């Protein structure tokens, strides 16, 4: 009889309990978990008897994502995956290599309902949330495919993590577990477009992860036009939540600012941004500003800022005492910004 439990959503101790209830020896849980973390299905679990593998397949069918498309940048080796889930939904992940090792950007939803005007991920709305195992599987499958160990996770792929809060928290616990991928909380960044109640709930867990805020504008009127979330939680409310998050966790806040030509990329806008963050964060709350030239999406009509304007914007922030850098562009030739490959493939 088929069981609705997906072992990929469970910790080792939980799998042990599930196996016990199913009459399977306790030590088999460790064997199975070892193979799951390598992206292997039951047919590849060589140290399990055939009868047990058949029983597991019948009672606990696995649903690893399938690599539907894989693009490798000729510029910097960045790898972009379009994974196909068991129900046909497509999600994207991007593996990037840095001096400190490999990082992966993972998706938390199939689609997104936040409606940010510059983002490809939201153009078809939200289809469904990903389970903890479906988020974790992106890391497992990428590591298995590339033969590498991923040491850093960025939750900036398709979806708003706080719109799938419980599953995302569960994923964070699974990916940090000693018997799992063992990616420490301090090597994980989570990005939100400004879902304040999610920030407040996450702070209560006291995970030492990095919180990244997709800010992009320094004034409510402008932000609300392009980021509907601002109509519910305005900039002041958002920044107050950020300040409280630091007070509870002691973790520096990162602000993402996408530069859009002719909209928010002038020196005057840089000054507004600097004054805004200095006012609300104060001297006691460390923060960093990541400047990101917008990735052009045909449907949005928004254009990227030229290099000179980006540099001038950064210089203004620095002059006002803000810690700011321009994010290194990776995978430019494979459309590494999440949402575009899923959109083009349907």
């Amino acid at each position: 009889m088929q069981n609705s439990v997906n072992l990929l959503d469970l910790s080792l101790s939980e799998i042990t309990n599930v196996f016990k209830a199913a009459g399977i020896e306790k030590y088999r849980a460790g064997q199975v978990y070892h193979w799951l973390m390598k992206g292997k299905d039951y047919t590849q679990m060589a140290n399990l008897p055939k009868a047990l593998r058949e029983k597991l397949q019948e009672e606990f069918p696995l649903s690893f994502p399938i690599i539907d498309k894989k693009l490798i940048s000729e510029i910097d080796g960045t790898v972009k995956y379009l994974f196909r889930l068991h129900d046909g939904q497509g999600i994207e992940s991007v593996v990037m290599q840095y001096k400190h090792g490999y990082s992966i950007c993972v998706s938390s939803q199939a689609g997104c309902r936040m409606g940010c005007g510059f983002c490809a991920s939201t153009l078809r709305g939200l289809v469904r949330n990903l389970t903890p195992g479906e988020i974790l599987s992106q890391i497992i499958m990428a590591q298995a495919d590339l033969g590498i160990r991923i040491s850093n996770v960025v939750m900036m792929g398709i979806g708003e993590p706080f719109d799938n809060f419980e599953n995302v928290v569960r994923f964070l616990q699974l990916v940090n577990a000693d018997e799992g991928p063992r990616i420490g909380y301090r090597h994980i960044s989570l990005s939100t477009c400004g879902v304040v109640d999610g920030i407040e709930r996450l702070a209560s867990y006291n995970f030492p992860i990095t919180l990244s805020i997709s800010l992009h504008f320094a004034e409510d009127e402008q932000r609300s036009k392009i980021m509907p979330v601002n109509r519910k939680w305005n900039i002041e409310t958002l920044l107050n939540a950020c300040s409280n998050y630091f007070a509870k966790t002691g973790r520096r806040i990162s602000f993402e600012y996408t530069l859009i030509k002719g909209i928010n990329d002038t020196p005057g806008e840089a000054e507004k941004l600097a004054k805004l963050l200095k006012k609300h964060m104060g001297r006691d709350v460390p923060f960093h500003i990541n400047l990101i030239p917008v990735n052009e999406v045909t449907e949005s009509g928004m254009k990227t800022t030229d290099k000179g304007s980006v540099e001038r914007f950064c210089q203004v922030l620095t002059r006002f005492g803000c810690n700011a850098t321009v994010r290194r562009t990776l995978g430019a030739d494979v459309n590494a910004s999440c949402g575009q490959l899923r959109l083009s493939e349907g």
Side-chain angles (χ1 to χ4, degrees), residues 186 199-211 241-253 285-286:
R186 295 183 184 277
I199 296 172
E200 294 169 345
R201 291 176 68 189
L202 184 67
S204 68
Y205 284 85
N206 204 25
F207 294 141
I209 67 174
T210 298
L211 178 65
C242 291
S243 182
N244 292 335
Y245 182 87
F246 173 79
K248 290 183 178 180
T249 66
R251 296 291 289 169
R252 184 183 73 167
I253 306 293
V285 182

Side-chain angles (χ1 to χ4, degrees), residues 43-58:
T43 64
Q44 299 169 298
M45 298 182 183
N47 57 347
L48 270 63
K50 182 180 178 182
L52 177 57
R53 283 184 271 144
E54 291 175 348
K55 175 182 174 69
L56 291 171
Q57 181 59 48
E58 174 66 23

Side-chain angles (χ1 to χ4, degrees), residues 8 34-41 44 64 140-141 144:
L8 290 165
H34 167 80
W35 290 114
L36 292 179
M37 293 302 103
K38 292 181 176 294
K40 305 298 184 182
D41 62 28
Q44 299 169 298
F64 281 109
I140 294 171
M141 298 307 290

Side-chain angles (χ1 to χ4, degrees), residues 42 49 81 122 124 133 151 162 166 187-188 194 222 230 304 342:
Y42 296 126
Y81 291 102
T122 195
R124 291 181 181 169
S151 58
F162 288 151
E166 288 79 10
H187 297 277
I188 300 173
Q222 197 177 34
N230 198 72
T304 193
R342 178 176 183 270

Side-chain angles (χ1 to χ4, degrees), residues 97-109:
Q97 185 174 10
Y98 297 93
K99 291 180 180 180
H100 56 72
Y102 289 93
S103 294
I104 186 168
C105 180
V106 297
S107 296
S108 57
Q109 296 178 304

